[in-house]
Amino acid sequence: MKAILKRLIQHQNLNKKEARQMIINIADGQYNTSQIASFLTVYMMRSISLEELEGFRSALLELCIAVDLSEFDTIDLCGTGGDGKNTFNIST
């Protein structure tokens, strides 16, 4: 973590694989709360690169728990675009 923080503070970006691994490591409890807070603080002080965002996204998708709702007749209650009309909801 120390090496990653040093690079980020020096305005260097993580590659997609490194960004993915950081989220996986955080989820696995490999870092303490101070280290996690430092990591997040860096991103409050600089922009996230597209490659970093792709890595973060990849990790979150990998870590998510799928919920099977196929037995239910679900509907979209919060306007997230589930109407099938290809509209863009600016309220969310």
Side-chain angles (χ1 to χ4, degrees):
M1 172 64 91
K2 195 175 200 179
I4 292 290
L5 288 174
K6 184 177 179 181
R7 283 180 47 208
L8 293 174
I9 290 168
Q10 293 173 348
H11 303 284
Q12 297 176 14
N13 293 336
L14 301 178
N15 64 40
K16 186 176 178 178
K17 185 177 177 181
E18 291 170 322
R20 180 194 152 279
Q21 194 58 53
M22 285 300 298
I23 300 301
I24 298 291
N25 291 350
I26 289 170
D28 285 344
Q30 293 186 27
Y31 303 123
N32 64 45
T33 55
S34 296
Q35 291 170 312
I36 295 168
S38 297
F39 180 74
L40 295 174
T41 300
V42 168
Y43 282 103
M44 294 183 72
M45 299 169 28
R46 64 184 277 281
S47 297
I48 297 173
S49 72
L50 180 58
E51 197 169 0
E52 289 167 335
L53 188 59
E54 288 174 336
F56 297 153
R57 177 188 176 273
S58 175
L60 292 175
L61 287 173
E62 186 177 323
L63 292 166
C64 76
I65 299 170
V67 178
D68 181 11
L69 299 174
S70 62
E71 67 180 275
F72 303 101
D73 187 22
T74 58
I75 60 172
D76 179 8
L77 292 178
C78 57
T80 58
D83 61 3
K85 296 182 180 178
N86 269 346
T87 57
F88 181 74
N89 184 345
I90 61 169
S91 66
T92 53

